[in-house]
Amino acid sequence: MDRSRASLALLATLAALTVAAASPAHLELKSPPEKQWHLQYLKATEAHALNQGENIIVAVLDTGVSPHPDLAGNLLKGADLIRGGHNGGRSDSSGHGTGMAGLIAATGRGGSTQGIAPQSKVLPVVVTPPDGRGDPDVLAEGINFATSHGAKVISISSVGGASPKLVQAIRTATAADITIVAAAGNRPEDAFVGYPAVEESVIAVGGTDRTGNHAAISVAGPEIDVVAPAVDIYSTGLNEGYRVGTGTSDATAIVAGAAALIRSKYPNLPAQEVAHRLTATAVDKGPPGRDDQYGYGVIDLVAALTADVPPLGFESSVVTPPASTAAGPGKGDDDSGTVRGLATLGVLVAAGGGYLFWRRRRRADDPPPRVSR
């Protein structure tokens, strides 16, 4: 089914508001395993034996990324589009962007954290000021910068509204075969899935708790594609320290890392097939098929890297499951222990029309193929 027109109309109605945002060699993780419970839940060790995100650049459009021992070697020079600084986005006023980067690409060598794609590279782009009240046009600049600087995945842990420039930047990135992942939003600040997650070409991410169930903080809606752990997520922080976050910001960074693994393992796979592989191999939750809380289900790292997934256009085909699967105990922005610094975007104009055919197909009444559990 298509995206909900009602949601987009509601975005337009709220155009004057500001919306709060959502938050092959194995590398030894030196911290107690319970700190990064999401790695065990998602069976990251099995996934890392298959791929670790080599040769993939993930753009983190956020508050910047502070240099951290756990990110050593994986932090590129990006851009600061807020302060116009010359540090290439490698400073962070709140710690939010640093936490997202760690969830994607921390190596584990610094001591305490490992990312979902520990051999990927992070391109830090500052699009959110310290007060968290951002501008959709600045986010558009960030997407354009990422598009022109080699990013294969763009991670946006924020929600807000659209502007003509932002809509065009997303379409340009999509046409450039870039996977865009965005947060759905956090309750109670957000009542519905925000922009840019509502865009048809963007993977909209909701959250689960430690038990694999829908996280109370996570917004639900017909736009949700997949969900990932979003509660008590331990990651890199400021001053070479660490943070604990809760929200769809964290879930988004985790899914961005999963997309990096897929793009590295299957370098010739188009972006729309990357999204299809994530949804087709997700562990179904809630009512059978896609639903508003879980989307197509909890991401499964190992299945996404190993399952025989028929290409788009063959959704009725059967997915051949891998020998073992990766999605935790069966079923599953940012309220941080050190910062509540989720990026925010001003709501301007709701985007309409222009939905991509491949996403309409993925949302048809005939759902994507499933890996049997």
Side-chain angles (χ1 to χ4, degrees):
M1 66 188 74
D2 291 338
R3 295 288 199 197
S4 169
R5 295 182 181 275
S7 293
L8 293 177
L10 187 54
L11 268 175
T13 302
L14 299 177
L17 301 179
T18 296
V19 181
S23 147
H26 172 59
L27 299 176
E28 182 79 16
L29 186 64
K30 298 178 181 178
S31 65
E34 65 272 12
K35 285 188 176 180
Q36 285 198 292
W37 69 266
H38 68 280
L39 294 182
Q40 286 70 45
Y41 180 84
L42 296 172
K43 294 185 171 61
T45 298
E46 290 184 35
H48 291 165
L50 301 166
N51 191 273
Q52 295 191 13
E54 303 92 320
N55 303 315
I56 298 299
I57 295 174
V58 181
V60 175
L61 275 53
D62 213 291
T63 59
V65 178
S66 178
H68 192 286
D70 290 6
L71 287 165
N74 284 350
L75 186 58
L76 303 175
K77 181 178 181 180
D80 186 338
L81 303 180
I82 296 295
R83 298 176 290 264
H86 302 288
N87 57 14
R90 291 175 293 193
S91 67
D92 186 0
S93 57
S94 75
H96 188 265
T98 303
M100 301 308 103
L103 292 173
I104 295 167
T107 64
R109 301 188 190 98
S112 292
T113 55
Q114 187 177 46
I116 297 295
Q119 289 189 19
S120 64
K121 305 297 183 184
V122 166
L123 182 71
V125 186
V126 181
V127 297
T128 304
D131 65 5
R133 302 178 67 85
D135 183 335
D137 285 353
V138 176
L139 179 59
E141 288 184 59
I143 292 173
N144 289 334
F145 181 88
T147 300
S148 63
H149 284 76
K152 295 299 289 182
V153 178
I154 294 176
S155 182
I156 305 174
S157 287
S158 62
V159 302
S163 71
K165 288 182 180 179
L166 180 53
V167 172
Q168 185 56 52
I170 290 172
R171 291 175 179 172
T172 299
T174 300
D177 192 38
I178 296 173
T179 299
I180 306 175
V181 185
N186 293 335
R187 297 183 187 278
E189 295 92 342
D190 306 317
F192 51 85
V193 178
Y195 201 87
V198 296
E199 271 284 351
E200 292 291 313
S201 59
V202 174
I203 299 172
V205 181
T208 60
D209 60 20
R210 283 176 175 262
T211 67
N213 294 317
H214 175 72
I217 197 171
S218 177
V219 168
E223 301 87 359
I224 300 293
D225 289 307
V226 293
V227 292
V231 174
D232 300 331
I233 307 299
Y234 185 83
S235 186
T236 46
L238 297 180
N239 302 315
E240 300 187 1
Y242 299 91
R243 67 187 289 279
V244 177
T246 290
T248 57
S249 281
D250 302 85
T252 297
I254 289 169
V255 173
L261 294 180
I262 296 171
R263 303 223 74 168
S264 178
K265 177 76 181 299
Y266 304 100
N268 297 320
L269 199 66
Q272 62 265 39
E273 294 287 353
V274 173
H276 177 58
R277 179 167 279 271
L278 277 170
T279 58
T281 59
V283 179
D284 198 8
K285 298 278 294 180
R290 207 215 72 84
D291 65 81
D292 288 356
Q293 286 192 332
Y294 300 98
Y296 289 109
V298 184
I299 60 167
D300 186 329
L301 300 180
V302 174
L305 294 174
T306 58
D308 184 7
V309 179
L312 285 163
F314 295 88
E315 287 84 352
S316 295
S317 303
V318 176
V319 173
T320 302
S324 62
T325 59
K331 295 195 173 188
D333 223 335
D334 217 323
D335 237 348
S336 169
T338 58
V339 60
R340 186 175 168 74
L342 291 179
T344 58
L345 297 175
V347 179
L348 297 182
V349 182
Y355 293 164
L356 297 181
F357 174 78
W358 65 270
R359 290 298 289 278
R360 286 205 300 269
R361 180 180 293 278
R362 289 201 309 119
R363 294 190 177 280
D365 291 334
D366 183 2
R370 291 273 160 224
V371 174
S372 298
R373 295 300 193 277

